[in-house]
Structures are given as structure tokens and as C-alpha cells.
Amino acid sequence: MNIEKAINKLKEKGYKRTKQRERILEIFAEQDQGYIPAKVILKEIQKDFPGVSYDTIYRNLYLLADEHVLESTELEGEKHFRFHCDTHGHHHHFICTACGKTKALEFCPMDKISQSLDGYAVDDHKFEIYGKCPGCL
Amino acid sequence: MNIEKAINKLKEKGYKRTKQRERILEIFAEQDQGYIPAKVILKEIQKDFPGVSYDTIYRNLYLLADEHVLESTELEGEKHFRFHCDTHGHHHHFICTACGKTKALEFCPMDKISQSLDGYAVDDHKFEIYGKCPGCL
DNA sequence: AATGTAATTCGTAATGATTATGATTTGAGG
DNA sequence: CCTCAAATCATAATCATTACGAATTACATT
């Protein structure tokens, strides 16, 4: 996922290209595949656009997540976001609890489940490993 | 895990038996292994003890979680709690997003990981399946 | 049963993340 | 350059969670 690709995707849906939205995308691009919370985006973007409020941040984050430009997870009570990685198929992540950086995990536990879930409707699942990355150790 | 066992565990650590704490444990016992958030506990306990505040709820929830009487997880931005199930060893859950009830999953993905995480320190992990239970379908 | 003391609760307020709103501005097609 | 929906801005409201001083309570000990 890169910025131009994301902007075009939004354009097709009738969403506009704005400086703030573009900057948000840049911030994620600079982030090197790490999960970051809304407040980090706000702090960063306010260096260029002092007037930006949380409204703008959250509206864009949720829009981008809806469009699968971003993916999100909840870490210690805060929603965190990152670029959606579509380089390989569906997968999960190791997440560094110090810096938010991730490492792709090659397998999905759903593929290995032999247990019957008959009578249950499965909608979603979550698998994450938490710890410290080499850089933070 | 039953109430008396939990109370005794606390007693050994020097924690007191209070009506409010006992009622909280009862609520979890009535809950039939489902995850519930703080506000449900509050609403329920206030039928008997109108004066109870969130302070009491959260203090007790965290105390009970620290003592492994309860286990917790984060569902849509809210911490949810349930009795810690120690009938079988370490395991994960299917969680009904409608009622909070759970079904134990028999395997842990960490046992199946062949991928190397050399250089990474693994502290924790989370695996949950979300959907609807037979009763809610 | 009365006392001492730490644990606990109560009442209330503060915090922090997230969501909402009305007025204003802006991007992009015609 | 006009129009208009999309987006932002400024600000307030909401909701979960945490904090705190004062009052109460459990319980071991006298």
C-alpha cells in the first residue's frame, strides 16, 4: 500500500484529496509498519497543520480503515492503526509493545482448528503475539 | 472457580470479605461463563447496594483479576471480565458478540508456531474467535 | 463485647479517548 | 468562476476508567 494508490482508491469513491488526509497517509508511510494511536497522529500532523482536531483524525482513520487502506487493533485500551499489508494474504502479527512495530506471522490458527464449531456462527477472529522487537530489547 | 474458594483465596492474602465483593462474585457465578463489562456489574449490584460506585467495581475487578479469580479481555473498547476457568489448562475462547458467552477452544496457536521469532522476546499472546452462539442465532 | 487499624466503600470529581455538532472552508467537476 | 458536497475547524458532549479524601466496615486482638 502506498500513498498514491490510497488516494486514488479514495478518489474513485468520491472522496477528496486534502492536505490533511495526505499528511496522515504520509505519517503512516513513515511509520515503517508500526501500529500507532490517534494521539500520535495528532501530535505529528499539528506540526504542519496546527488547527487539526481529533475530529479530522478520527474521521480519516475510520474512513481509511473502512476502505482497507488501514487496519486497526486495540492495544491497552487505545485503538491503533497501521497501513494494511496486502503483500501476502491474510495473516497475523507479532506486535512490539514498546514501539508498535510488527512482524508478520506466517500462519493463521483458523487453518489449524480441528474442533467442531457446529451451531456457532464464526464472524471474525484475532491472533496477536505481544513482546519486544530486537530494536527495543 | 466458585465463590467460597475465591473468598478464601482473598482471605489468605489479607483481603476482607465484604457484602459488595461477595455480590460481585455472585454476579459472575450467575453469568454462566460469559464475559461482562463493568457497567453490567454496576447496574446489577446497585439493585442490592444502591450506593456502589465505579470505584468499588473496578477496584474489585482488578483485585480479582490480579488474584486470577477473574480473567479479562477487551471487547469493542470495553474491558470485559469472567470467572477464570481452570478446569483445563491454558486455552482460548470463542466469544459470542451478542451475549458474551464463551466456548473453550482446545488448542493454542503458540503450540503450532514453527516460524522463528529469534531476536524477539515474547511476553503474551491473544487468540479469540468471535461470532454468535447457538442461543443467539 | 469493646477497641484499634488497615481495608474498603462512598461520594464525587478528574482524566483521557472517542464521538458529535454547527459554522466555515475547500476540492473538483461543470 | 460557480456550485455543492466533502472536509475541516472549533468546541462541546459522551463514555469508560481512574483518582481521592472522608466515612465506614471487617476482623483480629484484647
Side-chain angles (χ1 to χ4, degrees), chain B residues 16-118:
Chain B
K16 294 174 180 170
R17 174 175 201 142
T18 68
K19 298 182 297 292
Q20 294 88 340
R21 182 167 292 162
E22 203 169 341
R23 184 73 191 100
I24 289 176
L25 287 167
E26 277 173 24
I27 291 168
F28 280 105
E30 294 162 4
Q31 210 52 37
D32 191 24
Q33 308 300 309
Y35 273 112
I36 49 176
K39 62 168 173 258
V40 168
I41 318 267
L42 183 71
K43 190 179 291 183
E44 188 61 28
I45 205 173
Q46 284 188 334
K47 292 177 187 170
D48 298 304
F49 307 95
V52 165
S53 72
Y54 269 118
D55 176 80
T56 298
I57 304 293
Y58 280 107
R59 199 170 8 78
N60 277 295
L61 289 177
Y62 291 152
L63 170 64
L64 293 168
D66 284 348
E67 298 301 327
H68 302 291
V69 171
L70 300 180
E71 58 187 299
S72 69
T73 192
E74 190 124 3
L75 301 173
E76 19 195 328
E78 268 182 276
K79 293 192 181 79
H80 284 61
F81 298 82
R82 57 161 295 164
F83 260 121
H84 185 262
C85 33
D86 51 5
T87 45
H88 28 346
H90 167 77
H91 63 277
H92 299 277
H93 289 111
F94 171 97
I95 302 173
C96 178
T97 50
C99 71
K101 289 212 180 67
T102 61
K103 175 183 171 66
L105 298 174
E106 289 158 5
F107 97 117
C108 171
M110 299 306 280
D111 298 336
K112 303 284 195 261
I113 282 204
S114 53
Q115 181 177 5
S116 163
L117 288 171
D118 287 351

Side-chain angles (χ1 to χ4, degrees), chain A:
Chain A
M1 184 62 67
N2 62 63
I3 297 179
E4 280 306 316
K5 198 170 149 193
I7 298 262
N8 287 334
K9 191 170 190 175
L10 295 183
K11 191 169 190 174
E12 284 168 21
K13 296 284 190 83
Y15 299 114
K16 294 174 181 170
R17 175 176 201 142
T18 68
K19 299 183 296 291
Q20 295 88 341
R21 183 167 290 162
E22 204 170 341
R23 184 74 191 99
I24 289 175
L25 287 167
E26 277 174 22
I27 290 167
F28 280 105
E30 294 162 2
Q31 210 52 36
D32 191 23
Q33 309 299 311
Y35 274 111
I36 49 176
K39 63 169 173 258
V40 168
I41 318 266
L42 183 71
K43 190 179 292 183
E44 187 60 29
I45 205 173
Q46 284 187 335
K47 292 177 187 171
D48 297 305
F49 307 96
V52 166
S53 73
Y54 269 118
D55 175 80
T56 297
I57 304 294
Y58 280 107
R59 199 169 8 77
N60 277 294
L61 289 177
Y62 291 151
L63 170 65
L64 293 168
D66 284 348
E67 298 301 327
H68 302 293
V69 172
L70 299 181
E71 57 188 299
S72 69
T73 192
E74 190 123 5
L75 301 173
E76 20 196 328
E78 267 183 277
K79 294 192 181 78
H80 284 61
F81 298 82
R82 56 161 296 162
F83 260 122
H84 185 263
C85 31
D86 51 5
T87 45
H88 30 345
H90 168 77
H91 63 277
H92 299 277
H93 289 112
F94 171 98
I95 301 173
C96 177
T97 51
C99 71
K101 287 210 181 68
T102 62
K103 175 183 170 67
L105 298 174
E106 289 157 6
F107 98 117
C108 171
M110 298 306 280
D111 298 335
K112 302 283 196 265
I113 283 204
S114 53
Q115 181 176 5
S116 163
L117 288 172
D118 287 351
Y120 291 80
V122 171
D123 296 329
D124 199 6
H125 64 283
K126 180 170 188 167
F127 174 44
E128 286 173 349
I129 303 180
Y130 310 103
K132 303 288 183 303
C133 71
C136 289
L137 277 173

